[in-house]
Amino acid sequence: MPPLPSAGPMVVLTGAGISKESGLDTFRDQDGIWSKVRLEDVATPEGFARDPALVHGFYNARRHNLLHGGIAPNAAHHALARLEAEWPDEVLIVTQNIDDLHERAGSTRLIHMHGELLKIRCRHCDQPRAWTSDLSLQTPCPDCGRTQSLRPHVVWFGEMPLQMGTIMTALNRCRLFLSIGTSGHVYPAAGFVETVRRNRSAHTVELNLEPSEGASLFHDCIHGPASDVVPAFVERLLAGR
Ligand code: BV8
């Protein structure tokens, strides 16, 4: 592995794999979420229009599990919070995850590009707001009072991910890009490494349980469970300064 940068702005992309050891299912592993329910039915606007109760039930169960299922950040989340605190330049986490484990580990420079499980929004008010209980078509919007207007503040397939302008700016100026716990299957996140590599001075590293679909696009790949490989890699980065 060539020498790692000892400074410079960094972008860290995370996916469901970083939360696996915290007890949250991934999507495309053998026992993953998409092996139990069809993404077309629960993670598309068409699925929500077709059967809103099914979609509300899907996200209500995940919200309840996140809040009451004994789910906590693992050593990988904590290592990234340490990196943000001790790295001499900006560390921006761009997560595809809708859980709040990065926040609970102490990370503050964070973009949830696919939304947040603990937020909802009204299609009339359009302002996301914190939400920790179940949601149904009958739930009145706390702001405008309308029913049949609330949805999870989550980006479904076919919908534009959030804060893409900010993300692209960060990708174009970063010196180091880490991709952690993602299969590299879903775009535009899966294409971020190619964006970074247009900047020939940037270094890219994949940290994943196994090679992702985009593994060959990274300068370095480190394979193993996130709670092992991420703290070890953060230690190397900070020791190298
Ligand atoms: C958009 C909802 C444009 C929230 C999600 C054909 C080609 C290319 C693209 C497309 C195409 N057809 C359609 C598209 C676009 C589409 C897409 O990419 N489809 C895929 C299926 C091909 N993308 C979109 O629609 C996106 N929007 O493109 O908009 C646009 C333009 C103009 C106007 C309007 C729109 C929107 C994508 C967001 C969809 N929402 N989820 C939720 O319910 O959670 S996506 C879903 O997949 C999650 O957000 C998840 O985060 C994301 C990515 O999955 P991963 O996080 O990578 O999880 P996965 O299970 O796949 O992998 C886990 C990895 O972890 C594995 O590699 C595993 O080995 C590893 N692992 C496991 N355990 C561990 C571990 N690693 C470390 N340690 C461990 N212990």
Side-chain angles (χ1 to χ4, degrees), residues 43-45 59 98 112-116 121 151-162:
T44 63
Y59 286 99
I98 61 174
H112 281 275
M113 66 179 289
H114 291 165
E116 298 176 65
R121 70 174 189 269
R151 62 169 277 180
H153 181 53
V154 162
V155 177
W156 288 326
F157 286 97
E159 295 183 326
M160 180 60 88
L162 306 174

Side-chain angles (χ1 to χ4, degrees), residues 15-17 20-21 26-29 59 62 96-98 114 154-161 181-183 185-188 208-210 224-226:
K20 173 81 173 180
E21 291 160 272
T26 61
F27 291 88
R28 293 169 188 86
D29 285 335
Y59 286 99
R62 290 172 68 191
Q96 299 172 88
N97 300 339
I98 61 174
H114 291 165
V154 162
V155 177
W156 288 326
F157 286 97
E159 295 183 326
M160 180 60 88
T182 180
S183 61
H185 186 75
V186 174
Y187 287 80
N208 205 56
L209 186 63
E210 58 199 7

